[in-house]
Amino acid sequence: MSEQFSPRPADVEGKTVSIGGIDVEKFKFPKFSYVLEILDKGGQWRVWEPIRVGGLNVGRKQSSARFPALASMAARHLRLSYDRLSLRAEDLGSLNGVYVKIDRPIELVDGTRFRVGNQVIEFHRAEPFQAVPAMQSNDGEEFWSRDVEPVAYLDLIRPNDQPGLRFPLTKPDQMVIGREGAGLDIALAGDELASAPHARVRRQDAAFYLEDMNSRNGTYVQIRGTAALKSGDVLLVGRVLLRVVEQPAGA
C-alpha cells in the first residue's frame, strides 16, 4: 500500500505554508487507450502493438522482408497519436498513402482519392462547360450532334501515380463501380479484389457522395493530413489492413 503524503502544518509564526498539490479534477485523463490490430491471412484480427501515450509510428522494418505485403509500406508510413481524448492518424508522406474504410456515405471534394479493389480513383468536379456553335459547311449544312455536359470526373490512377482513363459523370443520380457485370458504369475488369457491384458515387443537389455497396473488401478513402479515428476503424496501409480498437483503462 502506498504511503499517503501529509504536508507539514504551518509553523508557529504562520510564515511557512505547506506545498500544495495539483487540482487533478481539471485534468482530462484518458479513460481508454487503443491497440493496433493487423489482419492475418486467415482473416483474423491480431493485436500488433499498443498505442501508448506518446503515440505509435507504423512502417516497414528490415525484418519485414519475410512478409511480402509489408513491402507496400514505407519505412515511416503512418503515425497514430492522441489529441486529448481522441485518436488521430497522420500520413507521414508515404507513396501509397493511408486510407480509411468507409461505413457511411462520405462527401467527396475535388481531388479526393479512394480505393476500390486494386484501383485508386480520384474525384474531380467538372470545370465550367463552354458550349460551342454547330459547325457549318460552305453550302450551309449544319453538323448534327449535341453536347453532353459532365458534372464531375473519375480518374483511374495508373501505376506511375498519373491519371489514366477518365470517366465523366453525366447521369443525374449515380455512377456504379465494380468488377464486371450488368448495371456498372465503370467496370474494373479482372480485378479480383473488387465486387460487382462494389461502390457508387451518388449526386445529391450540388454535392457528391461515395458509398460502399456491401462489397466484400470494402471501399477506402485517403486521409489528407490528419484524421480523427474511432474504435473499430479499419486502415488500409499499402496492402496491409490495420484496425484501431479502444480498450478500457487497465484492461
Side-chain angles (χ1 to χ4, degrees), residues 154 167-170 173-177 185-186 199-201:
L154 293 179
F167 291 87
L169 279 70
T170 58
D173 50 0
Q174 66 180 12
M175 176 172 279
V176 179
I177 309 165
D185 298 293
I186 300 179
R200 65 179 178 178
V201 173

Side-chain angles (χ1 to χ4, degrees), residues 101 192-198 212-220:
K101 187 177 183 179
E192 71 279 4
L193 296 184
S195 298
H198 192 112
D212 184 75
M213 300 180 71
N214 296 317
S215 66
R216 180 172 184 176
N217 289 310
T219 303
Y220 300 80

Side-chain angles (χ1 to χ4, degrees), residues 1 23 33 49 64 103 117 122 124 137 160 163 176 216 228 248:
M1 182 176 180
D23 185 4
S33 59
E49 292 281 351
S64 300
D103 55 10
E122 191 170 284
H124 287 284
S137 66
N160 62 355
V176 179
R216 180 172 184 176

Side-chain angles (χ1 to χ4, degrees), residues 121-137:
I121 303 174
E122 191 170 284
F123 170 83
H124 287 284
R125 285 185 171 274
E127 298 178 353
F129 188 76
Q130 300 294 329
V132 296
M135 179 183 291
Q136 289 187 345
S137 66

